[in-house]
Amino acid sequence: MTIHHPASTAQLPVPAQSSYQNRVADYWNAEQNPVNLQLGMIDDLYHHHYGVGDVQWSVLDESDPERRREKITAELHRLEVAQAELLAGRLGPLAPTDRVFDAGCGRGGGSITANLRYDCHADGVTISAKQAQFANEQARARGVDGKVRYHHRNMLDTGLPTGAYAASWNNESTMYVELDLLFAEHSRLLRHGGRYVVITGCYNDTYGRASREVSLINAHYICDIHPRSAYFKAMAKNRLVPVHVEDLTAATVPYWELRKEADHLVTGIEDAFLTAYENGSFQYLMIVADRI
Ligand code: SAH
């Protein structure tokens, strides 16, 4: 049998990134939503995920319009920080010498949260060059750039060292990728006994297929929300064994109800989320797993 190799691998397109992934990168490179930037400016913790916990509804009673906006912004940020803390709390215990991997890291708030909590090393990966640059500037400004680094890479093929990580996670970034490929990469990077955590929106298998609202969310973010079942199948295939599963749906609904009231921050997707959660077609889920 004769196998023909290309004359030189240099002729192949590098990096291996699909047209879809190019569009996702374009989206995040251009993204300047106030709901992501104004909340982060409060304490330089930039999160691009939703919040959990009870809302202090008294923020809506403020009569001065400017003050009211500020109070709503601060309250939404408090809830998104609480979500990041919930995830980070499941990564440990970790030592300052440990490394963690933040897959689909956005503007970097999750890795900073982990570093503040455990003093650990963190590698964040995003497909957006702009986000990686922004996040690295933030790490420098905080003086943690020796330990927290962000990379413009594909989380399915990171080039990071095998077995070097004590913990890893995806915070609202799994809906952009094939789960089998993603969990294979986490499994490769995590050491034996390492911890993996995901917080994600998923569609509810008991509803049937993706609802109209789930499809609207997919179109809005250019993503492809997986069914809940897909997570457990792909984890089982990739040596990730769930140790804790938590339905955060009820905990995130107040965040969306408050965000709907925030005229200065809404992006237009709020009703789709609230309806999807209400009609049972969509769930906000945390899965914690061990790498065996
Ligand atoms: N985890 C962050 C950001 C969530 S937003 C947070 O909690 O704030 C989704 C992120 O997934 C974006 O940063 C986007 O660039 C990233 N992403 C999507 N597809 C990716 C891929 N294939 N590789 C790396 N990052 C990806």
Side-chain angles (χ1 to χ4, degrees):
M1 189 173 73
T2 314
I3 299 171
H4 292 283
H5 294 286
S8 155
T9 49
Q11 292 168 357
L12 297 172
V14 177
Q17 195 167 305
S18 64
S19 303
Y20 167 75
Q21 287 167 339
N22 289 335
R23 294 290 81 76
V24 172
D26 291 345
Y27 174 95
W28 288 105
N29 281 331
E31 191 274 331
Q32 299 276 359
N33 288 333
V35 76
N36 283 330
L37 291 170
Q38 287 186 23
L39 274 62
M41 275 168 203
I42 292 175
D43 57 1
D44 286 335
L45 273 178
Y46 289 86
H47 294 302
H48 299 346
H49 58 241
Y50 314 124
V52 291
D54 292 334
V55 163
Q56 285 174 15
W57 290 106
S58 58
V59 295
L60 296 180
D61 301 336
E62 172 63 49
S63 52
D64 177 63
E66 186 52 34
R67 222 21 235 130
R68 187 174 184 271
R69 278 194 288 274
E70 282 170 18
K71 283 187 174 177
I72 295 173
T73 303
E75 183 63 359
L76 287 170
H77 185 53
R78 187 179 70 76
L79 299 176
E80 66 173 8
V81 166
Q83 193 265 29
E85 293 287 349
L86 181 73
L87 190 158
R90 293 282 175 179
L91 298 171
L94 294 171
T97 47
D98 281 332
R99 290 176 78 161
V100 299
F101 165 52
D102 178 359
C105 62
R107 283 189 174 88
S111 287
I112 298 287
T113 302
N115 170 266
L116 285 170
R117 189 177 192 113
Y118 302 107
D119 192 25
C120 57
H121 297 262
D123 285 297
V125 165
T126 170
I127 204 149
S128 154
K130 276 253 177 69
Q131 287 185 331
Q133 189 192 0
F134 181 97
N136 278 322
E137 280 162 17
Q138 291 294 316
R140 261 194 299 282
R142 281 179 179 268
V144 294
D145 50 320
K147 282 198 133 172
V148 180
R149 294 197 177 92
Y150 301 94
H151 316 269
H152 170 216
R153 291 187 196 173
N154 187 342
M155 63 183 159
L156 302 179
D157 181 16
T158 61
L160 295 170
T162 301
Y165 293 84
S168 68
W169 69 91
N170 284 94
N171 197 347
E172 293 182 17
S173 53
T174 46
M175 56 294 285
Y176 296 99
V177 291
E178 282 179 54
L179 293 181
D180 267 343
L181 300 178
L182 176 68
F183 293 155
E185 183 66 347
H186 280 284
S187 197
R188 183 184 73 77
L189 294 172
L190 285 168
R191 70 183 182 208
H192 187 84
R195 180 48 68 79
Y196 173 72
V197 184
V198 56
I199 294 184
T200 187
C202 60
Y203 82 72
N204 189 356
D205 299 85
T206 65
Y207 184 89
R209 301 288 293 180
S211 64
R212 177 174 182 275
E213 293 74 29
V214 167
S215 300
L216 286 171
I217 297 168
N218 278 337
H220 184 89
Y221 290 104
I222 327 174
C223 67
D224 187 11
I225 292 163
H226 304 288
R228 174 158 45 104
S229 58
Y231 285 88
F232 299 94
K233 281 183 200 153
M235 282 186 184
K237 266 169 109 173
N238 289 287
R239 307 190 66 85
L240 296 170
V241 181
V243 63
H244 177 82
V245 180
E246 197 170 334
D247 184 352
L248 299 172
T249 307
T252 195
V253 165
Y255 164 90
W256 286 100
E257 285 171 339
L258 178 62
R259 177 162 154 173
K260 213 183 142 175
E261 301 298 320
D263 296 341
H264 60 304
L265 299 174
V266 288
T267 62
I269 200 62
E270 289 74 16
D271 279 329
F273 271 87
L274 280 167
T275 308
Y277 286 136
E278 277 159 17
N279 69 22
S281 65
F282 191 48
Q283 295 174 302
Y284 198 46
L285 198 70
M286 175 165 72
I287 309 171
V288 182
D290 290 325
R291 161 74 164 92
I292 58 152

